[in-house]
Amino acid sequence: MDKLIENQFLDFTVAIPTYNGAKRLPQVLDFLLKQTGIEKLYWEIIIIDNNSHDNTNEVIKDYQKKYSQNICLRYFLEKEQGIPFARMRAISEARGEFVAFVDDDNLVASDWILQSYTFGKEHPQAGAWSGQIHGDFEVKPPENFERIQAFLAIRECGSNPYLFDAANLRLPPGAALVVRKQVWCENVPQRPTLRGRLSGILVSGDDYEALLHIHYGGWQIWYNPTMHTYHQIPHWRLERDYLLTLARGCGLCVFQLRLINTKNWQKPIVFVRTILGNLRRVLRHLIQYRGQLESNLIALFEMEFYLASMMSPFYSLKLYFRQFSVKK
């Protein structure tokens, strides 16, 4: 451990952004402390506390005392609210060549770090990579849930590795994602456009925003099926109100994501295409599920997403004029 602490540059950093995660963090840390096959790696865990009001700080202090001989566990308080800022802080504090973002409700398999590190070494053009994320449900999901499970950061895409289609916004979630620190620092802006929860809406897309910058910087984004994570899904995340709020938030960021790496003269075209393309999806969905939307939660979720995606150009304009008026 003394050698690990003295090392300025490590092989691997596990970064855990958390908000009021005192009850969830112990299990997450216990799974990380049971990693196998990494005896020759120098690695660390860093906790980014995003203004928790519970005893997260005390929980981490307790782990630091009990496991000081096994792993370097560091704690940081990030006062700017929002997971994009917590992740930015994690990147700035991380000492690993590779930085893995693990949410405080993610339980990783015992070989997760080994498989993550090995993949990064074997794929030098990979700027980011993610694996399989399985749902660990408190209650049984609704029928046909698999159609929308990706919105809850669940990805089960088979046993073959492949490149994500970043140009069409087919990307992994920010949970259980590994990036090269240097690649992130050279390509991802310090101030994100999408900043998480705004005005009570779960506006998403902040993890996609970072990945798109990495992609347009010339780096590959991979799916590595040998990395397994289990995402704990409490009952309230499967309730109607939460799901519909999530659908709207994921849709409202679509236009802003499509603007990344878009030239000024192309923006009006993207504006119109986003509206018309999603209008077509809305009309097709209405025809397919006519009279069923109120009773079919999954179809209703999809409709909310299409509608919000259609409105995302106007939402982007609203944010722009709000920021412009604040600057004046």
Side-chain angles (χ1 to χ4, degrees):
M1 174 51 64
D2 290 341
K3 187 176 181 180
L4 173 63
I5 293 174
E6 290 172 2
N7 261 338
Q8 182 64 35
F9 301 105
L10 309 179
D11 299 309
F12 204 87
T13 295
V14 177
I16 308 176
T18 187
Y19 175 73
N20 290 341
K23 293 182 179 179
R24 299 183 297 274
L25 282 169
Q27 191 176 15
V28 176
L29 291 171
D30 288 343
F31 271 69
L32 284 168
L33 292 169
K34 293 176 183 176
Q35 293 293 295
T36 59
I38 56 171
E39 293 77 14
K40 295 182 179 180
L41 291 186
Y42 293 121
W43 67 290
E44 65 178 351
I45 300 173
I46 60 176
I47 307 295
I48 308 297
D49 184 350
N50 202 194
N51 295 315
S52 296
H53 301 301
D54 60 6
N55 62 328
T56 291
N57 190 11
E58 287 75 11
V59 169
I60 300 307
K61 285 182 179 179
D62 185 51
Y63 268 81
Q64 287 173 326
K65 292 175 184 176
K66 288 195 295 185
Y67 297 100
S68 60
Q69 299 304 311
N70 298 13
I71 184 64
C72 180
L73 174 60
R74 299 190 292 151
Y75 169 92
F76 301 95
L77 176 65
E78 173 51 53
K79 293 185 177 181
E80 191 158 12
Q81 200 68 47
I83 194 160
F85 302 108
R87 288 182 179 143
M88 285 289 187
R89 179 67 181 275
I91 288 290
S92 68
E93 301 292 352
R95 298 182 294 181
E97 176 187 2
F98 303 152
V99 181
F101 297 113
V102 173
D103 286 356
D104 63 11
D105 55 6
N106 293 166
L107 307 178
V108 299
S110 60
D111 64 345
W112 191 83
I113 290 179
L114 174 64
Q115 297 296 345
S116 303
Y117 181 79
T118 301
F119 189 89
K121 285 298 184 181
E122 292 176 349
H123 295 77
Q125 292 306 308
W129 53 101
S130 179
Q132 301 198 54
I133 306 178
H134 312 285
D136 182 6
F137 300 99
E138 183 180 6
V139 297
K140 184 179 179 180
E143 187 178 359
N144 296 320
F145 175 75
E146 64 276 2
R147 282 172 23 197
I148 66 165
Q149 66 179 11
F151 289 90
L152 279 85
I154 298 174
R155 296 292 172 103
E156 297 169 318
C157 301
S159 57
N160 296 316
Y162 64 81
L163 281 169
F164 282 99
D165 183 9
N168 288 305
L169 302 185
R170 296 188 179 99
L171 290 164
L177 175 77
V178 187
V179 301
R180 294 183 192 273
K181 175 173 178 173
Q182 191 62 32
V183 169
W184 180 292
C185 292
E186 291 175 354
N187 293 279
V188 180
Q190 290 293 315
R191 300 295 299 179
T193 300
L194 296 164
R195 303 180 182 184
R197 180 185 288 269
L198 293 171
S199 303
I201 300 175
L202 293 172
V203 177
S204 187
D206 46 274
D207 43 3
Y208 279 23
E209 181 181 358
L211 287 172
L212 285 171
H213 284 294
I214 289 172
H215 166 69
Y216 289 123
W219 293 88
Q220 298 173 345
I221 301 171
W222 279 87
Y223 168 73
N224 172 21
T226 65
M227 297 160 55
H228 291 269
T229 305
Y230 299 86
H231 184 193
Q232 297 174 295
I233 308 291
H235 68 89
W236 55 267
R237 285 191 177 178
L238 298 176
E239 293 175 357
R240 178 188 174 101
D241 288 349
Y242 177 84
L243 286 175
L244 296 185
T245 301
L246 176 65
R248 287 190 289 272
C250 290
L252 287 175
C253 69
V254 166
F255 178 67
Q256 287 174 289
L257 290 174
R258 294 198 180 282
L259 288 185
I260 295 174
N261 206 47
T262 298
K263 296 180 175 60
N264 285 333
W265 68 267
Q266 296 173 315
K267 291 179 181 179
I269 300 173
V270 175
F271 189 98
V272 173
R273 282 183 175 176
T274 301
I275 296 170
L276 295 181
N278 283 286
L279 176 60
R280 184 168 59 248
R281 296 163 85 185
V282 167
L283 294 175
R284 186 170 60 236
H285 212 63
L286 279 172
I287 294 170
Q288 183 177 356
Y289 294 100
R290 183 172 48 196
Q292 301 178 39
L293 287 177
E294 285 305 312
S295 60
N296 187 331
L297 179 58
I298 302 304
L300 183 58
F301 180 102
E302 292 168 332
M303 176 60 81
E304 287 288 336
F305 174 69
Y306 299 152
L307 286 169
S309 299
M310 184 174 68
M311 297 302 298
S312 64
F314 302 104
Y315 183 74
S316 180
L317 284 176
K318 177 182 176 182
L319 290 182
Y320 172 80
F321 285 118
R322 181 187 299 173
Q323 293 169 359
F324 181 76
S325 62
V326 170
K327 289 180 181 179
K328 289 182 67 177

